[in-house]
Amino acid sequence: AQSVTQPDIHITVSEGASLELRCNYSYGATPYLFWYVQSPGQGLQLLLKYFSGDTLVQGIKGFEAEFKRSQSSFNLRKPSVHWSDAAEYFCAVGSYSGTYKYIFGTGTRLKVLA
Amino acid sequence: GAVVSQHPSWVICKSGTSVKIECRSLDFQATTMFWYRQFPKQSLMLMATSNEGSKATYEQGVEKDKFLINHASLTLSTLTVTSAHPEDSSFYICSAESGRLAGDPEQFFGPGTRLTVL
């Protein structure tokens, strides 16, 4: 069965420090992978997505993610975190069964220290 | 990007009453919409897939008679929580799919509806 694992429930980093959020997936075929951010009281915003091609994907707000098939991973990175990046981050895999259902990971809550 | 709205953004109701939540794609047509439920500090759980002009497809464990879904037009899907009980209190999020025919499917999410059942 398809699944997404985000091993880190909480992560705290200092402003200006680098960030890496982990995501591992289980999917039989080539996956469609997504990273979303959810700020308090707001909907999910797409940061970036991977369908095919270059395994290093650039997204909005300075985020990037790298697809590693051998490790079944799609980790999200940012070289320098800003206080406004504090939010909940969700990794998702698109599972096709007539339509593209999303399977979400449990999320990682990012706290940024000033 | 494509915009999806939800109404209401929050609702409080008494136990036993029904509540309707609307999900609209504002600037695109969506033949497929999705309804999710999110418990506090947890992930999104897919409840059902809503297809325009046909019956919704519910995920295992989701009561179709409890959560009625109607997708009457290409821009509107509604979720009705019938005979609501306190355990139905949750954050309900909808999404609308776009781009599938172009080979670039993506779901655009609404801001969510906070339901509290007293």
Side-chain angles (χ1 to χ4, degrees), chain A residues 25 28-31 50-51 55 66-73:
Chain A
Y25 67 90
T30 301
Y50 172 78
F51 287 167
T55 57
E66 186 171 11
F67 170 60
K68 293 185 177 180
R69 184 186 299 276
S70 61
Q71 298 178 19
S72 297
S73 69

Side-chain angles (χ1 to χ4, degrees), chain B residues 37-45 87 89-91 114:
Chain B
R37 183 172 180 177
Q38 185 179 28
F39 292 100
K41 300 183 179 181
Q42 294 189 31
S43 187
L44 284 76
M45 181 193 78
E87 57 265 30
S89 299
S90 192
F91 193 54
R114 173 77 58 193

Side-chain angles (χ1 to χ4, degrees), chain A residues 33-56:
Chain A
L33 295 163
F34 307 84
W35 272 101
Y36 283 88
V37 60
Q38 185 181 36
S39 298
Q42 298 188 24
L44 276 77
Q45 181 182 24
L46 179 68
L47 290 174
L48 46 80
K49 60 185 177 183
Y50 172 78
F51 287 167
S52 64
D54 193 347
T55 57
L56 184 62

